[in-house]
Amino acid sequence: MEELKRIEEIKKALNDHNYRYYVLESPVISDAEYDKLLRELQAIESANPELITPDSPTQRVGANPSSGFSEVKHTVPMLSLQNAFDDQEVRAFDKRVRERLDVDKVIYASEPKLDGVSVSLLYENGFLIRGATRGDGATGEDITQNVKTISMIPLKLQGNDFPPRLEVRGEVYMPLKGFFEYNKEASRRGEKVFVNPRNAASGSLRQLDSKITAKRPLEMFCYSTADVTPGYLKGSHSERLEQLKSWGFRVVEHRAVVEGAQGLINHYNQLAEMRPDLPYEIDGVVYKVDSIELQEKLGFVSRAPRWAIAHKFPAQEELTIVEDVEFQVGRTGALTPVARLKPVFVGGVTVSNATLHNIEETHRKDVRIGDTVIVRRAGDVIPEVVSSIIEKRIPGAKPVELPKECPVCGAAVVKAESEVVARCSGTLFCPAQIKEKIKHFVSRKAMDIDGMGGKIVEQLMVEGYIKEIPDIYSLEKLQIAGMERMGSKSAANLISAIEKSKKTTLEKFLYALGIPEVGEATARSLVSHFKTLQSIMDASEDKLMEVSDVGPIVARHIIGFFTQPHNHDLVEKLISFGISWSDKPETSGPQPLLGKKCVVTGTLGIMSRDEVKKRLADLGAQVTGSVSKKTDFVVVGDSPGSKYEKAVKLGVKIYDEAGLIELLEKV
Ligand code: I6G
């Protein structure tokens, strides 16, 4: 059949041109010639639809929208990487590797860490049959239709020496140029813009309509193999990447194979210098023991390989101008000055607001309206104004003044001499405080009402359905379904999430009440000490101060809270709506850390801070929120701040991420 022959010819040609263009970066035909071939293929296929195959380049335009993603179980888990934040941690990593392997020197593969979304691609007999997200590492989502739209992902492999089954992993990302262009267009059309290229890649990949994904400028770099027919792959990571390249994959560029910690650090410094000029975002450098045999000897700990680490770039800082300073009112009435900035791209997002923390700090830093300031953004934390550049101050730059009245409710603003924070005194009637209290109450670490984000809370308040916290529990499906952008299904989901939240723990309930200075760690300590809500409500200041996390200020806040009749009413009303918990402490497995007091601070790579706290608490440790002489150890991640400094000053034992892993392994 003539058509079939021509189809195969064009498919092969287009496949080869794609490979030359994206992988070898040396195209031999123009874009116009490529498009002409593609159009010819489309024409033959539309006249003979029975000849369309899944690997045809015409299939990259996207398929019909699906109703949801199905689950994919990863046969080889998609792991996380440990993080290193400075040279010392890199040297410690190299030392651990050498000691475990009992060798003097180790050869490493070092490569930039793309700031995108990890994806797994599965090929059978050279054909792409599945694309999946990482998900929780064990189970991801099937995004086959979406990955197929990414031109540089081969639908069919090159050569003839590829394994029959080949799973490849890598990072899908949105290049900076595409990101800015996409956002410009989206904002022109009045659509939602993405905060950074990573969110843009993630949002684009998780589209149920792959025709939308097809329009997004996504790219991919591959960085490893996973589930592969044995006997096909070479013996080192760097050689395997070359193999992937020969089969048609685009593999991470600017790689190096180096010796020892110093080799890694040198490569990191080179990449740090190149970083501003790269056409995509990288957030660090990944180091891997190059020999696969040695990787296998080293194995894994928790969910991370012992043979790899991500050396993260430090927080980024940029200069911009303070256009205004406004005050936000929090749930305890605290007034936080927020600098409205001339938008600036820093740490991967466009920042137009940054916190000044409190009025005393604003004055201490002498930040004025009109000033040029340094803005810092580290990880996912709220951007902050670091300092003003006094040399750049313009005449007339206006000092920031604390308002006398709450900008939301007009009540008097009060500030105790002993406190750095100023507060709105309209506790019971200030809409800003009520809104923030409700948002806090429903949040994940509190009552964990899934789907009740800030926007929904605001809408419910505007509609008058919620005036105070207990109203959440008398919401009706019809009320919610009638709100803007809410259908009957979302309303039913929200009602069931509200119902589900009624079964909680005392720690979560206590935290949800929003008592000033009672964070999750203090709530946990209080419950572990007093066991029941009644005992906490009845405790005297002295009794409260027996709890390790509670000093006089916290004790006074707790007593102050429970002496207010309206707070008693609140607790009673909530309990009458069916909120319940078990007063019996949860029993668990062995508790080798029983009696140990610890603090977890900063951002960790392999587990979230909450997971670390839970693991430590399950092992019997008392996880508290502040460092004191009584603290046995502090776990320190990225950007740890004052808790770390205090621990160093008091000589408290400090575990970095690797130390924590060893500790969890040992106990
Ligand atoms: O080389 C890599 C780059 C990025 C990785 C990696 C990664 O995660 C975002 N993750 C793992 C688990 C490995 N290599 C082995």
Side-chain angles (χ1 to χ4, degrees):
M1 196 178 173
E2 273 307 297
E3 287 88 354
L4 182 61
K5 196 165 148 246
R6 183 63 186 145
I7 281 183
E8 288 307 323
E9 249 171 39
I10 305 178
K11 279 200 309 200
K12 179 160 185 338
L14 290 175
N15 231 342
D16 285 347
H17 290 311
N18 240 11
Y19 175 60
R20 282 173 189 281
Y21 185 84
Y22 289 116
V23 182
L24 304 181
E25 293 181 14
S26 60
V28 287
I29 59 168
S30 66
D31 288 358
E33 284 168 306
Y34 184 96
D35 286 343
K36 199 168 154 221
L37 278 173
L38 189 64
R39 278 198 303 276
E40 186 186 344
L41 180 62
Q42 269 161 343
I44 310 176
E45 283 182 347
S46 60
N48 305 275
E50 72 285 0
L51 300 182
I52 302 176
T53 58
D55 67 313
S56 170
T58 58
Q59 300 306 295
R60 291 196 189 271
V61 288
N64 290 334
S66 66
S67 56
F69 299 113
S70 52
E71 274 191 0
V72 170
K73 291 249 180 288
H74 298 298
T75 44
V76 176
M78 287 186 83
L79 304 163
S80 327
L81 292 174
Q82 301 174 52
N83 285 330
F85 295 101
D86 55 32
D87 292 359
Q88 204 187 331
E89 286 179 31
V90 175
R91 292 188 200 284
F93 161 72
D94 173 54
K95 184 159 173 263
R96 284 195 302 279
V97 168
R98 282 187 287 109
E99 282 176 359
R100 271 202 177 254
L101 294 174
D102 197 17
V103 295
D104 290 338
K105 283 207 171 88
V106 175
I107 302 294
Y108 293 101
S110 173
E111 60 203 36
K113 183 169 178 296
L114 268 291
D115 201 2
V117 183
S118 292
V119 160
S120 143
L121 304 174
L122 184 63
Y123 290 79
E124 274 178 8
N125 301 316
F127 291 100
L128 174 66
I129 60 151
R130 196 192 68 199
T133 60
R134 176 178 185 277
D136 63 4
T139 309
E141 287 176 325
D142 188 325
I143 50 160
T144 311
Q145 293 308 330
N146 295 1
V147 296
K148 275 181 138 181
T149 66
I150 303 174
S151 318
M152 58 181 57
I153 293 181
L155 300 176
K156 183 169 183 270
L157 299 184
Q158 297 285 320
N160 48 20
D161 59 346
F162 49 76
R165 183 178 176 85
L166 173 65
E167 187 188 359
V168 173
R169 293 192 174 155
E171 204 79 352
V172 168
Y173 64 94
M174 192 177 278
L176 287 166
K177 185 162 172 273
F179 166 73
F180 289 122
E181 280 170 4
Y182 174 81
N183 268 358
K184 204 166 143 200
E185 258 311 287
S187 108
R188 200 185 54 76
R189 289 194 302 259
E191 291 170 11
K192 181 179 152 248
V193 294
F194 287 111
V195 289
N196 59 34
R198 177 165 24 91
N199 284 10
S202 167
S204 304
L205 266 188
R206 297 198 71 262
Q207 285 290 335
L208 289 170
D209 184 351
S210 53
K211 291 200 172 68
I212 299 183
T213 313
K215 293 197 192 114
R216 304 280 169 85
L218 297 177
E219 301 192 349
M220 181 174 187
F221 274 127
C222 296
Y223 58 66
S224 74
T225 54
D227 181 5
V228 181
T229 316
Y232 283 80
L233 296 177
K234 296 204 169 153
S236 71
H237 172 72
S238 48
E239 286 171 320
R240 288 182 176 190
L241 291 187
E242 288 302 326
Q243 279 184 296
L244 290 182
K245 195 169 168 187
S246 76
W247 295 329
F249 295 99
R250 191 158 160 269
V251 292
V252 197
E253 52 190 8
H254 309 300
R255 311 185 294 279
V257 175
V258 301
E259 188 183 290
Q262 195 54 50
L264 294 173
I265 292 164
N266 292 346
H267 189 226
Y268 173 93
N269 289 335
Q270 279 169 20
L271 286 170
E273 232 172 78
M274 289 169 72
R275 187 183 183 199
D277 302 320
L278 291 175
Y280 41 76
E281 286 253 298
I282 60 173
D283 61 349
V285 184
V286 180
Y287 307 144
K288 295 177 184 173
V289 171
D290 197 32
S291 153
I292 303 294
E293 192 189 332
L294 297 184
Q295 287 187 2
E296 282 165 4
K297 268 195 191 157
L298 286 160
F300 301 87
V301 55
S302 281
R303 278 184 278 149
R306 274 203 194 87
W307 40 265
I309 200 162
H311 188 176
K312 302 297 275 293
F313 289 125
Q316 282 182 302
E317 296 184 344
E318 286 297 336
L319 292 189
T320 188
I321 291 168
V322 176
E323 292 181 334
D324 199 0
V325 171
E326 286 172 15
F327 285 82
Q328 270 176 3
V329 186
R331 73 184 152 85
T332 59
L335 259 67
T336 304
V338 176
R340 306 290 179 211
L341 305 169
K342 182 161 180 262
V344 59
F345 197 67
V346 47
V349 296
T350 302
V351 170
S352 31
N353 302 306
T355 182
L356 284 158
H357 299 292
N358 57 59
I359 190 70
E360 287 209 352
E361 180 135 346
T362 312
H363 289 161
R364 188 179 58 73
K365 288 179 178 165
D366 191 19
V367 175
R368 303 188 187 181
I369 299 164
D371 271 1
T372 298
V373 290
I374 299 174
V375 179
R376 177 196 293 155
R377 183 178 174 275
D380 283 336
V381 298
I382 303 168
E384 62 168 351
V385 173
V386 180
S387 61
S388 257
I389 313 271
I390 304 295
E391 303 78 60
K392 290 191 176 236
R393 176 161 290 160
I394 49 160
K398 210 168 125 217
V400 180
E401 279 174 31
L402 184 67
K404 294 198 168 44
E405 287 160 7
C406 167
V408 180
C409 73
V413 167
V414 287
K415 183 175 164 302
E417 273 295 309
S418 58
E419 283 207 41
V420 288
V421 177
R423 291 179 203 273
C424 151
S425 58
T427 320
L428 280 179
F429 59 84
C430 175
Q433 287 193 50
I434 299 170
K435 186 174 77 190
E436 294 306 320
K437 281 193 172 80
I438 296 174
K439 281 194 204 165
H440 171 79
F441 184 84
V442 302
S443 65
R444 194 173 55 78
K445 291 176 184 171
M447 299 306 284
D448 193 14
I449 303 184
D450 197 19
M452 198 154 175
K455 286 256 151 56
I456 304 271
V457 171
E458 267 164 44
Q459 256 178 299
L460 288 164
M461 288 187 74
V462 169
E463 297 289 345
Y465 299 148
I466 298 186
K467 293 195 182 64
E468 49 173 24
I469 291 172
D471 295 341
I472 296 169
Y473 293 96
S474 35
L475 276 173
E476 285 173 18
K477 190 180 147 195
L478 276 182
Q479 293 176 316
I480 304 174
M483 292 190 326
E484 218 177 293
R485 271 180 271 143
M486 266 287 185
S488 153
K489 181 130 199 298
S490 329
N493 287 345
L494 188 53
I495 292 285
S496 96
I498 292 172
E499 199 51 37
K500 196 169 143 215
S501 76
K502 289 183 181 171
K503 209 158 177 41
T504 184
T505 61
L506 179 51
E507 288 91 328
K508 283 182 159 247
F509 182 72
L510 194 59
Y511 171 66
L513 290 178
I515 306 168
E517 303 292 334
V518 177
E520 343 147 55
T522 309
R524 214 174 10 245
S525 304
L526 285 164
V527 173
S528 136
H529 187 90
F530 289 104
K531 313 287 186 240
T532 67
L533 180 62
Q534 199 56 51
S535 334
I536 299 169
M537 288 168 75
D538 294 343
S540 64
E541 194 171 319
D542 285 347
K543 279 270 169 240
L544 285 167
M545 278 169 43
E546 283 173 15
V547 180
S548 62
D549 231 15
V550 178
I553 295 178
V554 181
R556 259 170 253 150
H557 276 301
I558 297 170
I559 290 178
F561 184 89
F562 286 120
T563 44
Q564 305 267 0
H566 63 90
N567 286 331
H568 270 262
D569 290 350
L570 171 69
V571 170
E572 267 169 34
K573 256 194 206 165
L574 289 170
I575 292 175
S576 77
F577 276 118
I579 290 180
S580 67
W581 56 87
S582 157
D583 274 340
K584 276 188 259 91
E586 279 178 33
T587 46
S588 47
Q591 302 215 300
L593 297 180
L594 200 64
K596 299 274 183 223
K597 289 194 178 65
C598 63
V599 173
V600 183
T601 176
T603 315
L604 295 134
I606 55 159
M607 279 185 254
S608 70
R609 200 159 51 216
D610 285 344
E611 280 178 288
V612 174
K613 287 182 186 171
K614 182 158 183 332
R615 284 280 289 273
L616 293 169
D618 286 348
L619 293 167
Q622 191 183 349
V623 187
T624 69
S626 54
V627 180
S628 73
K629 273 190 283 187
K630 291 188 198 152
T631 309
D632 290 288
F633 63 91
V634 176
V635 176
V636 173
D638 184 23
S639 313
S642 63
K643 292 182 191 174
Y644 171 61
E645 283 160 25
K646 191 155 178 204
V648 173
K649 213 158 97 193
L650 294 175
V652 174
K653 180 155 185 51
I654 292 171
Y655 287 108
D656 64 6
E657 189 155 15
L660 167 73
I661 292 169
E662 302 261 310
L663 173 76
L664 294 177
E665 254 198 333
K666 254 194 313 207
V667 295

